[in-house]
Amino acid sequence: MRKALVESTRPRVIQARPKPVNENSSHPADQHVGRQIAIVRVQSDVSQAQLARSIGISFQQLQKYENARNRVSASMLYEIGRSLDIPVSRFFEGLPGNETSREPSPLPVDERIDFIASAEGRRLIEGLMNLHPRVRGRVAALIAALGEELAVLDIDRGSATTGELALTARETVGPTGNHASESGVATLK
């Protein structure tokens, strides 16, 4: 009996998960869950402020959850899922090691949603929203034209180097004296 008592008081070696390389970095699962919260929120067309208000936290706290700077508790995940009308399991879809054989694999996440949910995407959208609607429309047209031109450059890499825009539309001089293509987008030379 005494031997069992002595053995039970010995310190046991407990294997803890390895610490992240950077002490301030978050666990990949926390990053995944935060990203999923942002993706579902954006897909549901709900702002950070709206979601935060509906679950009783500040939008800054929600940002910290989405960026994995703070961990989300189980009860908060439940409230977020309830507010967005989705099951809590949705936040774990696609997490490595969380696959089940009886459910179909989740659809690939649209990279546009990933970008919109990122800090860079939110900054871009906030900046665009501060513009006058007419200017915002022109900026959107410029971005679309740049994207189309870069797609053409990707297809035909021999005609231009990466990063160089070689607009092929016939140039005309616009009312301001600036060079513009037929689409009304300024030509970069």
Side-chain angles (χ1 to χ4, degrees):
M1 175 86 151
R2 182 171 180 165
K3 186 177 181 182
L5 182 62
V6 171
E7 287 178 11
S8 66
T9 60
R10 287 186 190 159
R12 295 182 184 201
V13 177
I14 298 174
Q15 191 96 18
R17 71 175 173 89
K19 295 249 185 221
V21 175
N22 178 356
E23 193 64 36
N24 295 329
S25 67
S26 53
H27 190 277
D30 296 326
Q31 293 171 355
H32 179 84
V33 168
R35 201 168 30 251
Q36 293 303 309
I37 292 170
I39 288 169
V40 171
R41 178 183 57 75
V42 170
Q43 287 174 336
S44 300
D45 198 28
V46 175
S47 72
Q48 283 181 330
Q50 290 169 323
L51 179 57
R53 198 172 23 257
S54 75
I55 59 175
I57 62 173
S58 68
F59 81 91
Q60 293 93 341
Q61 182 61 45
L62 182 61
Q63 278 181 334
K64 290 178 182 179
Y65 290 155
E66 290 182 355
N67 294 320
R69 279 187 251 128
N70 286 5
R71 282 190 174 160
V72 187
S73 69
S75 59
M76 189 54 62
L77 272 178
Y78 172 78
E79 291 300 325
I80 292 169
R82 201 172 91 185
S83 181
L84 294 173
D85 197 29
I86 60 161
V88 172
S89 62
R90 169 61 181 86
F91 300 121
F92 297 94
E93 287 180 3
L95 184 65
N98 192 39
E99 300 86 15
T100 58
S101 59
R102 54 189 157 94
E103 292 182 24
S105 61
L107 297 173
V109 177
D110 187 352
E111 66 185 42
R112 292 174 292 184
I113 299 295
D114 272 344
F115 175 75
I116 290 170
S118 72
E120 180 185 14
R122 287 192 304 270
R123 279 193 309 274
L124 176 63
I125 290 169
E126 287 170 11
L128 287 171
M129 294 308 295
N130 290 330
L131 297 174
H132 185 277
R134 185 173 169 189
V135 174
R136 187 170 46 235
R138 288 181 176 172
V139 169
L142 173 64
I143 291 170
L146 288 171
E148 289 170 10
E149 187 62 30
L150 289 174
V152 169
L153 289 175
D154 283 344
I155 293 169
D156 186 18
R157 289 210 184 260
S159 65
T161 61
T162 303
E164 177 185 332
L165 294 177
L167 298 177
T168 57
R170 183 175 55 85
E171 288 186 18
T172 59
V173 177
T176 61
N178 293 336
H179 289 286
S181 70
E182 288 180 338
S183 65
V185 177
T187 305
L188 301 177
K189 294 205 179 229

